[in-house]
């Protein structure tokens, strides 16, 4: 998130940058006499942005250029034994026999991280490593026949990636890792990605069969490019950077006449989140002023009221700072977010100034 403060240098001794409501905001229009009745003065207090990064769970982040998200998936490793892949092989366990033909399918799921409910994938890479300790090459079991191995990545009926290894041009020798890089295509992923393997191994030369020997598959994906994600947010802590309020130029002749005031905040919240934030205003040597601000979804206007005594404790003081922090939550169904989304809060400090009480 980022905060922006404005500099006000128009008139020292009155309010730097303050103007009467309804007046043209120029230095010549600022009153030069003390008010004889209650008037409202306005001091812009800057803009606070809570960027999308504040609301992202682990496993996904905004890219360096800010145009997309980068998703990381936890690696998954799964395997099958010869006995599980080939029934006739299991029956011949411990014997030297001509290798039986078999075709087998097996798979495993790669889950989306934590509170990520869905992602719109734009592209990326899926890395798959294969290794086996069979006593034969399953796609080259003899010099005269060839098999194949196919790797797929799917979500439901959506095919995200596919790769194949042809025994006519490639080998899968024992105890030798084989790394394959699959390009992920665009698609909606609203649950685990299934990594599937189909192995077709034709009949081959005589070999010693051991039904416990295994084919192991490992799959991982980092920096998968995502254009939009739906996340579930539960009491997510958010905090703005501390910003300094330019109040030290307010003359005591004015500050002593402040009766009350409010922090008026225009909120633009593109997320389907809401919550309660604390607005904390602090000045050296004074007790912090802490108020509650409700953040609804959408566009809204909020007012945080202050008493005259609270305002007089900070007006005219150097080093006055404001911080906004708290927690927000989404519905159970989550909220859709994009890389350029941010909650924007534009603030103005309103002061009611009147005649000095006798």
């Amino acid at each position: 998130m980022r905060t922006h403060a404005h500099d006000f240098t128009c008139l020292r001794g009155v309010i730097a940058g303050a103007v009467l409501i309804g007046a043209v905001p120029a230095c010549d229009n600022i009153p030069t006499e003390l008010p004889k009745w209650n008037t409202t003065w306005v001091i812009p207090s800057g803009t606070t942005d809570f960027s999308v990064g504040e609301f992202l769970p682990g496993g996904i982040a905004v890219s360096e250029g800010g145009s997309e998200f980068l998703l990381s998936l936890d690696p998954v490793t799964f395997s099958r034994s010869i006995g599980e892949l080939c029934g006739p092989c299991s029956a011949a366990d411990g014997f030297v026999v001509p290798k039986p033909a078999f075709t087998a399918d097996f798979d495993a799921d790669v889950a989306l991280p934590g509170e990520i409910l869905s992602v719109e994938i734009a592209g990326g890479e899926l890395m798959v490593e294969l290794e086996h300790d069979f006593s034969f090459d399953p796609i080259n079991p003899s010099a005269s026949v060839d098999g194949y191995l196919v790797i797929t990545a799917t979500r439901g009926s959506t095919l995200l990636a596919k790769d194949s290894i042809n025994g006519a041009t490639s080998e899968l020798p024992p105890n030798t890792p084989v790394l394959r890089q699959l390009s992920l295509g665009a698609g909606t992923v609203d649950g685990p990605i299934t990594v599937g393997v189909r192995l077709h191994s034709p009949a081959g030369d005589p070999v010693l069969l051991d039904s416990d020997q295994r084919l192991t598959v490992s799959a991982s994906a980092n920096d998968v490019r995502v254009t939009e994600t739906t996340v579930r947010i539960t009491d997510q802590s958010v905090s703005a950077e501390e910003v300094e309020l330019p109040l030290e130029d307010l003359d005591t002749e004015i500050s002593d006449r402040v009766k009350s005031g409010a922090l008026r905040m225009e909120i633009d919240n593109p997320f389907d989140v809401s919550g309660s934030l604390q607005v904390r205003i602090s000045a050296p040597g004074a007790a912090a002023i802490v108020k509650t601000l409700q953040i609804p979804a959408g566009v809204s206007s909020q007012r945080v009221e202050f008493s005259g005594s609270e305002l007089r404790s900070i007006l005219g003081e150097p080093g006055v700072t404001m911080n906004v922090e708290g927690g927000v939550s989404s519905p159970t169904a989550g909220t859709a977010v994009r890389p350029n989304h941010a909650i924007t809060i534009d603030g103005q400090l309103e002061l009611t100034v009147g005649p000095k009480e006798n």
Side-chain angles (χ1 to χ4, degrees), residues 263 265-269 273-279 291-304 324-329 343 345:
L263 186 62
M265 310 188 92
E266 301 298 325
I267 303 170
D268 185 359
N269 177 8
V273 298
S274 59
S276 179
L277 304 182
Q278 282 192 339
V279 179
K291 301 290 183 176
T292 299
L293 171 67
Q294 298 300 321
I295 295 285
V299 177
S300 64
S301 297
Q302 304 289 323
R303 286 176 62 85
V304 178
V324 182
E325 61 183 6
V328 296
S329 297
I343 294 179
I345 303 176

Side-chain angles (χ1 to χ4, degrees), residues 154-239:
T154 59
R155 173 56 192 167
S157 60
T158 301
L159 177 64
L160 299 171
K162 185 176 182 180
D163 187 27
S164 62
I165 304 174
N166 188 342
T169 56
S170 302
E171 297 180 344
L172 282 180
N175 303 306
T176 304
V178 174
L179 184 64
R180 306 293 291 189
Q181 180 174 297
L182 285 67
S183 295
L184 291 168
T188 300
V189 174
D190 57 0
I193 296 174
T194 300
V195 178
V197 173
R198 164 166 284 196
L199 174 59
H200 171 67
S201 181
D205 297 333
V207 293
L208 174 64
L209 291 176
D210 182 346
S211 60
D212 291 331
Q213 292 173 337
R214 307 185 74 83
L215 168 62
T216 300
V217 182
S218 298
S220 63
N222 294 313
D223 295 341
V224 176
R225 295 184 290 109
V226 170
T227 57
E228 182 176 312
T229 179
T230 298
V231 299
R232 182 166 43 231
I233 299 170
T234 304
D235 198 25
Q236 178 81 19
S237 294
V238 295
S239 178

Side-chain angles (χ1 to χ4, degrees), residues 86-110:
C86 170
C89 297
S90 181
D93 182 34
F95 293 94
V96 175
V97 297
K99 189 200 78 67
F102 66 90
T103 301
D105 295 278
F106 61 106
D107 57 47
D109 287 339
V110 180

Side-chain angles (χ1 to χ4, degrees), residues 6 11 36 92 105 165 250 252-253 259 281 294 310 316:
H6 298 279
L11 185 64
K36 297 180 175 60
D105 295 278
I165 304 174
L250 184 64
T252 56
E253 287 298 313
K259 309 298 183 181
I281 299 178
Q294 298 300 321
E310 288 175 325

Side-chain angles (χ1 to χ4, degrees), residues 9-16 248-249 251:
T9 57
C10 276
L11 185 64
R12 240 185 125 79
V14 186
I15 296 181
E248 65 271 20
D249 288 334
D251 193 280

